[in-house]
Amino acid sequence: AQSVTQLGSHVSVSEGALVLLRCNYSSSVPPYLFWYVQYPNQGLQLLLKYTSAATLVKGINGFEAEFKKSETSFHLTKPSAHMSDAAEYFCAVSERAGKSTFGDGTTLTVKP
Amino acid sequence: EPEVTQTPSHQVTQMGQEVILRCVPISNHLYFYWYRQILGQKVEFLVSFYNNEISEKSEIFDDQFSVERPDGSNFTLKIRSTKLEDSAMYFCASSPQGGSYNEQFFGPGTRLTVL
């Protein structure tokens, strides 16, 4: 079965600093990977997805992620954090029939 | 922009009662899903549904749970006899195709509280 591990349940950065949220996956077949953001008391919003077309994926709100097969990683980055980026972030891997397996999530705090 | 909607946004029920959570997927989508998220935990897959039948279900989705697409637009999750541990946020999702590369569009969720 495919799985996802998010390293660091809480990440705190200063406004304007680099954001790095880590995700490692386990898969026996080429994976399809996703990052979602969840704001308090809201649903899941897709930030970006990797579908083997390009290893560097750009998403919404200035986020991007790089697929590294050799490291089985799909880390999420943003060059400059904004206060509005404070949220919960989930990495997910998609299995057959579109079923997704989610990581435990990382809470991003942005300090002024 | 089309979106998945869910009702109610918050449901409070007594233990042992039946609840039905409703979802309206995006109209041209063919695959439907339910996930749940217990407070402070990760999102967990419950069930996927295609062509009026369950295509996959998790261990969580036991005999107390059922899904239905009663009228071609709604997609419902029924819990027959709720337990305290069923308290969670329940998310509905839909996708136009079932391939793993297809994005799933999530609804805003229904918060179920079992007392």
Side-chain angles (χ1 to χ4, degrees), chain A residues 21-103:
Chain A
L21 305 182
R22 300 177 187 274
C23 173
N24 288 89
Y25 69 90
S26 172
S27 174
S28 58
V29 298
Y32 296 103
L33 296 158
F34 304 82
W35 275 101
Y36 291 89
V37 61
Q38 184 180 33
Y39 297 101
N41 299 313
Q42 294 190 26
L44 298 164
Q45 182 181 11
L46 181 71
L47 278 177
L48 47 81
K49 63 181 179 182
Y50 167 74
T51 60
S52 76
T55 56
L56 182 61
V57 182
K58 294 188 184 297
I60 62 172
N61 301 340
F63 284 93
E64 62 182 38
E66 186 173 7
F67 174 72
K68 292 187 177 180
K69 184 178 180 180
S70 60
E71 299 177 7
T72 61
S73 68
F74 189 57
H75 301 333
L76 181 71
T77 60
K78 182 174 180 178
S80 178
H82 192 271
M83 297 296 291
S84 61
D85 294 327
E88 184 88 10
Y89 292 80
F90 292 94
C91 182
V93 60
S94 187
E95 301 174 0
R96 65 189 184 285
K99 163 192 167 183
S100 291
T101 298
F102 286 78

Side-chain angles (χ1 to χ4, degrees), chain B residues 56-71:
Chain B
E56 187 170 2
K57 59 183 181 180
S58 72
E59 294 175 352
I60 303 167
F61 195 87
D62 62 21
D63 292 343
Q64 293 298 311
F65 292 88
S66 63
V67 290
E68 191 179 27
R69 189 155 161 81
D71 56 12

Side-chain angles (χ1 to χ4, degrees), chain A residues 4 30 32 34 36 38 41-46 49 51 88 90 94-105, chain B residues 31 33 35 37 40-45 48 55-56 89 91 95 98-104 106-109 111:
Chain A
V4 166
Y32 296 103
F34 304 82
Y36 291 89
Q38 184 180 33
N41 299 313
Q42 294 190 26
L44 298 164
Q45 182 181 11
L46 181 71
K49 63 181 179 182
T51 60
E88 184 88 10
F90 292 94
S94 187
E95 301 174 0
R96 65 189 184 285
K99 163 192 167 183
S100 291
T101 298
F102 286 78
D104 290 338
Chain B
Y31 291 80
Y33 313 84
Y35 292 82
Q37 183 184 29
Q41 298 185 23
K42 67 180 176 183
V43 179
E44 301 172 290
F45 169 78
S48 58
S55 49
E56 187 170 2
M89 181 75 88
F91 292 106
S95 65
S100 55
Y101 55 86
N102 276 290
E103 175 187 350
Q104 293 173 26
F106 283 82
R111 181 171 298 283

Side-chain angles (χ1 to χ4, degrees), chain B residues 43-101:
Chain B
V43 179
E44 301 172 290
F45 169 78
L46 290 178
V47 65
S48 58
F49 191 86
Y50 169 72
N51 199 25
N52 283 320
E53 61 182 29
I54 291 173
S55 49
E56 187 170 2
K57 59 183 181 180
S58 72
E59 294 175 352
I60 303 167
F61 195 87
D62 62 21
D63 292 343
Q64 293 298 311
F65 292 88
S66 63
V67 290
E68 191 179 27
R69 189 155 161 81
D71 56 12
S73 62
N74 291 283
F75 179 51
T76 62
L77 174 69
K78 181 193 289 186
I79 309 176
R80 288 189 183 81
S81 179
T82 50
K83 307 182 186 72
L84 295 176
E85 53 264 38
D86 293 327
S87 294
M89 181 75 88
Y90 288 81
F91 292 106
C92 173
S94 68
S95 65
Q97 298 178 46
S100 55
Y101 55 86

